[in-house]
Every structure is written in structure tokens, then in C-alpha cells.
């Protein structure tokens, strides 16, 4: 076991010596997840810088299943437990703390936060970096807009590098958070798609983005046709298939999915239908858009649709189910709703929901 100060050449300060594992900073997020799964991550202490390009991740015992550079003895104060703790330390009043952000997410090396009416954004950003030592940039989320659903973000603290690699359940997503959207609240749904698909299934992902659902499904052994029209998102989609070792199972198209489907699914040869189709676009159920019609035409009898929608609270799940049933009736195909789920709150009075259905 080696020893060393957590801040490079900084002298040791008196305090209780505890264990930490040293890893490269780009791996910090995935290592923390793995340490949590093993039950040895110590969330009562800070992740700290170590030897320039590394970080020291606090642990309660040496890990048995996680590869690390070394196990070290770490000296340091106990973690301030909350953002409010850090802001109080910076002199914030209780009234100001009431306006501080209540939620945020760490995506790779970036913290995404909705600032709302919080005062002094720079101090909030610095406090979030102190709270999350594995991150080096804090972005304020200002919304998403445009035909390609592009994010509007502002750097409020840190290095300002918006390109990162985010890891979830073993899937690596490379992306630039200033260029393409990423919803931390969809984490469970991304993981679920990798769990329910079977090896050898033919899958159509009509709004693939950077590979949100494509990657976990392909990693599970499915053959996926992934369609994305945003050129930046498409570039990351292709890069991410290679990053995750699934390029041979993903046929990627930069186009409007309706145009691709109108010319047929050549990727599947004579079997030009799919076993499963994912419509991850919030407005995919809009009857005027025709996305459901194209999905139904591509789906083999007995296939499954996963339809996403942002629905007014008073119409959950009535509206997406009615739209799906109407499109299926127009196509002359029986449909059976298998499951309905709330994914997250999208905005005030609006819910992101998913409907799973079997179509014969």
C-alpha cells in the first residue's frame, strides 16, 4: 500500500487516515458506480485530485472486483454532506439557500444543474465541484429547443470542457453536452431496454440520438437499425457504437426516419421487418407526423412497440394509448397494451410516459 497527499505536493494535515483507490479521472464515474455496487464506496468523504491525472476515490475497504491503479491511505476532512453545507460555508443566508438548486446530475465529468432563481451562480458551481470531485465543469441548463432538440447551457464553474464520456450500467456514451441533449432522468429506461431485448432480435430505433437506447440493446446482442437526423448526434452515435464494440450490430442512418422507412429496411435483407421498434421522440404519437404509421408498417406480426410521449397530467395514459390504438386500427392490426410507465416529470403538469404494446 502506498501513501501520498491527496493534493499532490501539499503537506499532510492531521486527521484520520482512511483508504482510497487511485484511478484515472476519466474512469471516476464508472469506478464510483462499481464501488457502490460492491458496497465499498465511502460517500462520507470527498473524491480528491491525485498526482495530476488521477483521483483518489474513498473506500471503506480495498475492492475485490474493481481494477484500480493502487490503494492508498488518504488524509482529509469528512465530506460536507450537501450543497447547502457548502453554500453555508460560503456565507449564504437561509433565505438564499431556499432559492438554491434542489437537484442536479453528474454526467461524466460534467455537473448539469437547473439554476432557477438561485443567486450567485458561480458560487453554486464551485460548491457543486467541491461536492463532486470527479467532475471538472458545471453547466447551467437553460432548456432545449429547435428541430434537433439542442441544449442551451452556460458554463458557470470549472474548466468549461463540455465534451465527456458518461457511463451507465457498463454502456459508455460520448457526447458534448453543449451540442446534444442528454436526460439523466431517463437512466432507468435506458437500462431497461438493454434488459428486455434478446440476442438476435431485429430492432428499429427511430430517434437514436447518440445511442441512448441503441447502445444498451446492441450490447445485449440485438441487431439495430438506428436513425438520427441531427448531424452532431449522429457523429456521436457512430463513435459510440465503436466505443462500445457494437458497430457490427448497428446500421446507422443520418436521415429522417420516415424517409428511411419509406425505402425499406435493407439492413435486414429479405426479412425487411423488425421485432421491436422504439419511438423515443416526445411527439412521435402526433397523428399528423405519421411516425406511428411508419413504425407499424416496419413491425413484424407479434412485434413490440415502445412509444414515448410527453403527456398533460390529466391525459396520462389515455392520450398515447388512444393514438396508438387509432394508428393500429387504421393499419388493420390488433394491438395489446403490455405496460405503461411514468419516466419522469417533464415540466409543470406534463409527464414523460412510455407505452409498450404488442402488435399482431
Amino acid at each position: 500500500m502506498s501513501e501520498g497527499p491527496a493534493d499532490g505536493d501539499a503537506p499532510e494535515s492531521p486527521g484520520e487516515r482512511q483508504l482510497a483507490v487511485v484511478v484515472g479521472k476519466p474512469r471516476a464515474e464508472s469506478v464510483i458506480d462499481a464501488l457502490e455496487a460492491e458496497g465499498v464506496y465511502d460517500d462520507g468523504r470527498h473524491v480528491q485530485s491525485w498526482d495530476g491525472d488521477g483521483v483518489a476515490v474513498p473506500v471503506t475497504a480495498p475492492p475485490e472486483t474493481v481494477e484500480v491503479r493502487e490503494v492508498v491511505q488518504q488524509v482529509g476532512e469528512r465530506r460536507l454532506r450537501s450543497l447547502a453545507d457548502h453554500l453555508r460555508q460560503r456565507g449564504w443566508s437561509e433565505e438564499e439557500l431556499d432559492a438554491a438548486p434542489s437537484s442536479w446530475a453528474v454526467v461524466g465529468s460534467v455537473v448539469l444543474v437547473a439554476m432557477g432563481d438561485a443567486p450567485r451562480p458561480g458560487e453554486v458551481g464551485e460548491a457543486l465541484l467541491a461536492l463532486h470531485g470527479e467532475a471538472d465543469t458545471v453547466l447551467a441548463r437553460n432548456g432545449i429547443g429547435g428541430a434537433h432538440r439542442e441544449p442551451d447551457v452556460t458554463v458557470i464553474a470549472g474548466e468549461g470542457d463540455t465534451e465527456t464520456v458518461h457511463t451507465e450500467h457498463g454502456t459508455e456514451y460520448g457526447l458534448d453536452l453543449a451540442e446534444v441533449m442528454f436526460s439523466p432522468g431517463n437512466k432507468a429506461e435506458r437500462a431497461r431496454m438493454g434488459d428486455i431485448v434478446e440476442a438476435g432480435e431485429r430492432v428499429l430505433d427511430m430517434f437514436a440520438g447518440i445511442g441512448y437506447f441503441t447502445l444498451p440493446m446492441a450490447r445485449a446482442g440485438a441487431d439495430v437499425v438506428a436513425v438520427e437526423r441531427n448531424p452532431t448526434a449522429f457523429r456521436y452515435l457512430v463513435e459510440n457504437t465503436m466505443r462500445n464494440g457494437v458497430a457490427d450490430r448497428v446500421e446507422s442512418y443520418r436521415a429522417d426516419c420516415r424517409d428511411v422507412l419509406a425505402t425499406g429496411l435493407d439492413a435486414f435483407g429479405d426479412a425487411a421487418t423488425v421485432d421491436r421498434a422504439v419511438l423515443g421522440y416526445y411527439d412521435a404519437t402526433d397523428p399528423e407526423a405519421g411516425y406511428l404509421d411508419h413504425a407499424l408498417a416496419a413491425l413484424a406480426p407479434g412485434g413490440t412497440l415502445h412509444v414515448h410521449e410527453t403527456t398533460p397530467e390529466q391525459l396520462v395514459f389515455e392520450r398515447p394509448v388512444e393514438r396508438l390504438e387509432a394508428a393500429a386500427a387504421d393499419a388493420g392490426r390488433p394491438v395489446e397494451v403490455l405496460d405503461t410507465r411514468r419516466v419522469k416529470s417533464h415540466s409543470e403538469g406534463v409527464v414523460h410516459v412510455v407505452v409498450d404494446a404488442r402488435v399482431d
Side-chain angles (χ1 to χ4, degrees), residues 187-266:
K187 180 178 181 178
E189 190 65 18
R190 288 188 287 270
R192 188 183 78 95
M193 295 309 299
D195 290 338
I196 64 176
V197 75
E198 296 183 3
E201 276 194 25
R202 300 167 313 206
V203 180
L204 169 65
D205 188 350
M206 294 174 61
F207 307 92
I210 63 169
Y212 311 109
F213 303 125
T214 288
L215 296 173
M217 291 189 296
R219 290 185 66 235
D223 296 310
V224 185
V225 168
V227 189
E228 173 55 45
R229 69 179 184 179
N230 180 331
T232 304
F234 180 80
R235 174 170 63 84
Y236 282 108
L237 168 65
V238 174
E239 291 177 1
N240 286 331
T241 64
M242 294 185 285
R243 185 189 304 276
N244 287 273
V246 296
D248 61 330
R249 291 199 291 276
V250 179
E251 187 82 15
S252 303
Y253 294 87
R254 186 171 76 82
D256 186 302
C257 57
R258 293 167 294 192
D259 295 336
V260 172
L261 295 174
T263 59
L265 293 173
D266 295 337

Side-chain angles (χ1 to χ4, degrees), residues 277-323:
V278 184
L279 292 83
Y281 176 46
Y282 291 153
D283 293 328
T285 61
D286 182 352
E288 299 300 319
Y291 294 117
L292 276 173
D293 299 334
H294 283 82
L296 288 164
L299 195 67
T304 303
L305 286 182
H306 304 279
V307 180
H308 293 241
E309 185 185 275
T310 46
T311 312
E313 181 70 49
Q314 65 271 23
L315 297 178
V316 174
F317 292 94
E318 179 183 348
R319 189 176 76 178
V321 170
E322 285 185 350
R323 287 178 168 181

Side-chain angles (χ1 to χ4, degrees), residues 44-248:
R45 290 183 287 140
H46 288 290
V47 177
Q48 297 180 340
S49 298
W50 192 277
D51 290 342
D53 66 339
V55 291
V57 181
V59 294
T60 56
E64 297 180 358
T65 63
V66 183
E67 182 179 348
V68 301
R69 291 182 185 174
E70 57 183 331
V71 180
V72 299
Q73 289 187 347
Q74 186 184 41
V75 177
E77 298 179 355
R78 300 296 292 177
R79 179 198 292 269
L80 294 175
R81 301 292 298 191
S82 68
L83 176 62
D85 290 338
H86 284 273
L87 294 175
R88 284 193 187 95
Q89 193 178 60
R90 287 167 167 79
W92 281 45
S93 68
E94 292 303 313
E95 182 179 358
E96 289 173 321
L97 289 173
D98 287 341
S102 59
S103 64
W104 55 89
V106 181
V107 179
S109 58
V110 178
V111 180
L112 284 177
V113 58
M115 288 297 300
D117 297 325
R120 303 199 292 282
E123 290 188 14
V124 174
E126 293 298 333
L128 287 169
L129 288 179
L131 193 61
H132 298 284
E134 69 273 28
D136 56 29
T137 296
V138 181
L139 296 181
R141 306 178 70 174
N142 306 316
I144 292 174
H148 291 159
R149 295 188 56 77
E150 295 166 333
D152 177 12
V153 298
T154 304
V155 176
I156 60 172
E159 297 178 5
D161 187 359
T162 58
E163 190 169 37
T164 189
V165 177
H166 175 64
T167 304
E168 287 181 358
H169 302 284
T171 300
E172 295 184 357
Y173 297 92
L175 72 162
D176 187 332
L177 288 160
E179 299 289 338
V180 297
M181 63 171 289
F182 189 88
S183 177
N186 293 356
K187 180 178 181 178
E189 190 65 18
R190 288 188 287 270
R192 188 183 78 95
M193 295 309 299
D195 290 338
I196 64 176
V197 75
E198 296 183 3
E201 276 194 25
R202 300 167 313 206
V203 180
L204 169 65
D205 188 350
M206 294 174 61
F207 307 92
I210 63 169
Y212 311 109
F213 303 125
T214 288
L215 296 173
M217 291 189 296
R219 290 185 66 235
D223 296 310
V224 185
V225 168
V227 189
E228 173 55 45
R229 69 179 184 179
N230 180 331
T232 304
F234 180 80
R235 174 170 63 84
Y236 282 108
L237 168 65
V238 174
E239 291 177 1
N240 286 331
T241 64
M242 294 185 285
R243 185 189 304 276
N244 287 273
V246 296
D248 61 330

